[in-house]
Amino acid sequence: MADTVAPTPTTVRGQVVGGHRWRAPALAVVRSRWFGVTARAVVGAGVLAAIVARVGTGPFLHGVQSLDAGTVGAAIVLAAIATAAAAWRWTVIARRLGVGLPWSRAVGMYYRSQFLNTVLPGGVIGDVHRAVDHGRSAERLGTAARAVAVERSVGQVVQVAITVLVIVAGGAAFGTAGATAGGVDAGAADFGGVVFPALGIGAAVVVLAATIAAVASARVRNVLRREAAQLRVGLGSPAVAAQAIGASIVVCCCHIATFAIATAAVGAEVPPVRMLVLAVVVLLAAAIPLNLGGWGPREGAAGWAFAVAGFGTAAGVSAATLFGVLAIVSLVPGVLGTMLATIVQRRKRP
C-alpha cells in the first residue's frame, strides 16, 4: 500500500486553501468591535465577582448607603469644573486641527460622552460618539476623530505622569506616623511605605524599558513616529500644549478631590498625603478600559491599595463604590441641561 501524503496548503491569490481555514474567521472575530466590547465587559464582571467573593456585598452596600446631599452637591460642582476644563482642552486642540467648535457646545458634548463612558462597557464608547458627532457636523470625520484621540492622549499622559510623581514622592508617608493613626494597621502602613514608592519607581522603570524596546523595533518606531506627528500637529505650539496640559491637571485634581470626598463619606479617616497617593492609584486603575460600565478594576485597585496602606480592603471597596455612584450622579444635571438646551434650540429654528 502506498504511503498517504497529507495535502499541503496552497495559496490562491494570497489566501490559504486546505490549511488552517479557521484562522481567518477567528482573527476576524477577535478583531471585531463587538468582541472587544464583550471581552472588556467580561473582564470587568470577573473582577467584580472576585471582589464580592473576597469581601462580600457589605462594602458595596455601605458605599451606596453613604450617599448624601452634601456629597452629591460637592461632586456635581467638581464634575462641572472638570468637564469645563476637559471641554476647553478639546476645543483648543480641535481649533488647532481646523475643526474648531464653540466651548459651550463642547461642554454639552463632553458631558454626554462622559456619561456614556461611565454607564456602558469599555469606557470609550462616549468618546467615539463624540468624535463621530463632531465629525459629521464639521464634515471632516477623520480630523475630528484625531482631535478627540489627541485630546484624550494628552489627558492620559498627564494622569500617568502625576500618578508616578505622587507615588514616588508621597508613598513614603505610609511608613511615617502610620502606627499612630487611628484605625490603621501599623504593620500594613509600614509595608505601604515601601510598596508605594517601589510601585512608582517600578512604573517609571517599565515606561523606560518599554521606550527602549520600542526604539529598538523599526515597526514600533514607525507607529510612534506617526503618533508623535499627530500629537505635534494637534498641540502645535508651546501655548497650545500648555493650555492642554493645564486643563488636564485641573481635571485630575477634580477627580482626586471627588475620591477624597467619597472616602471621607464612607467613614475612612485618611491623612491628606496618603489620601493623594491612594486616589491616584485608584484613578489610574479606573482609566483601564477593561470594565463593566466603569466598574471592576477601580474597586479591585481600591481594595488592594487601602489594604496595603493599612485601612482595610472593605474601606477601599466602599470608597470606590461611592466614587462610582458619584461619577454617574454628578453628570446627570449636565446631561439633562444639554438635552434641554438642544430641545430649546430646535424649537427656535424656523
Side-chain angles (χ1 to χ4, degrees):
M1 181 181 293
D3 294 337
T4 301
V5 179
T8 58
T10 58
T11 303
V12 179
R13 295 183 181 180
Q15 296 183 350
V16 178
V17 178
H20 298 290
R21 298 180 179 179
W22 54 269
R23 287 185 178 178
L27 287 175
V29 170
V30 171
R31 292 173 180 172
S32 64
R33 182 177 300 177
W34 70 266
F35 181 85
V37 173
T38 303
R40 292 167 181 168
V42 169
V43 171
V47 173
L48 280 177
I51 297 172
V52 171
R54 174 70 176 80
V55 301
T57 59
F60 291 94
L61 295 176
H62 177 61
V64 175
Q65 292 168 353
S66 300
L67 195 67
D68 57 41
T71 302
V72 172
I76 290 174
V77 172
L78 289 169
I81 297 173
T83 302
W88 172 257
R89 177 180 65 197
W90 181 29
T91 58
V92 168
I93 293 173
R95 189 183 309 117
R96 173 72 188 179
L97 292 175
V99 287
L101 72 164
W103 175 72
S104 57
R105 178 169 177 249
V107 170
M109 295 174 69
Y110 221 103
Y111 259 116
R112 183 175 57 192
S113 70
Q114 289 180 111
F115 186 78
L116 293 176
N117 284 344
T118 303
V119 299
L120 295 177
V124 295
I125 296 178
D127 293 321
V128 174
H129 184 273
R130 175 161 56 97
V132 173
D133 192 9
H134 181 210
R136 287 175 177 172
S137 62
E139 297 182 348
R140 294 177 62 182
L141 182 58
T143 306
R146 187 176 301 115
V148 171
V150 172
E151 175 260 326
R152 292 293 292 158
S153 297
V154 172
Q156 290 169 353
V157 169
V158 171
Q159 182 182 1
V160 171
I162 290 175
T163 301
V164 173
L165 290 174
V166 168
I167 293 176
V168 172
F174 287 90
T176 61
T180 61
V184 179
D185 186 317
D190 291 337
F191 181 60
V194 176
V195 169
F196 285 111
L199 183 63
I201 295 172
V205 171
V206 168
V207 171
L208 179 61
T211 302
I212 295 174
V215 171
S217 170
R219 190 176 196 181
V220 174
R221 278 202 307 271
N222 291 333
V223 173
L224 291 178
R225 194 176 294 115
R226 289 196 299 269
E227 295 298 325
Q230 287 191 5
L231 284 174
R232 282 196 300 270
V233 173
L235 298 178
S237 66
V240 173
Q243 292 179 70
I245 293 172
S248 300
I249 293 174
V250 172
V251 173
C252 286
C253 289
C254 289
H255 292 330
I256 289 171
T258 303
F259 187 78
I261 290 172
T263 301
V266 299
E269 298 180 3
V270 183
V273 175
R274 280 175 274 184
M275 183 70 261
L276 182 61
V277 175
L278 292 173
V280 296
V281 170
V282 175
L283 292 174
L284 186 62
I288 299 174
L290 296 172
N291 55 68
L292 185 62
W295 302 84
R298 178 182 61 210
E299 288 69 32
W304 172 83
F306 274 66
V308 170
F311 298 100
T313 303
V317 173
S318 294
T321 300
L322 180 55
F323 177 79
V325 174
L326 291 174
I328 299 173
V329 174
S330 63
L331 296 174
V332 172
V335 173
L336 293 178
T338 300
M339 293 174 59
L340 181 60
T342 302
I343 293 173
V344 171
Q345 288 178 358
R346 287 178 179 176
R347 289 184 176 181
K348 286 183 178 180
R349 293 175 184 173

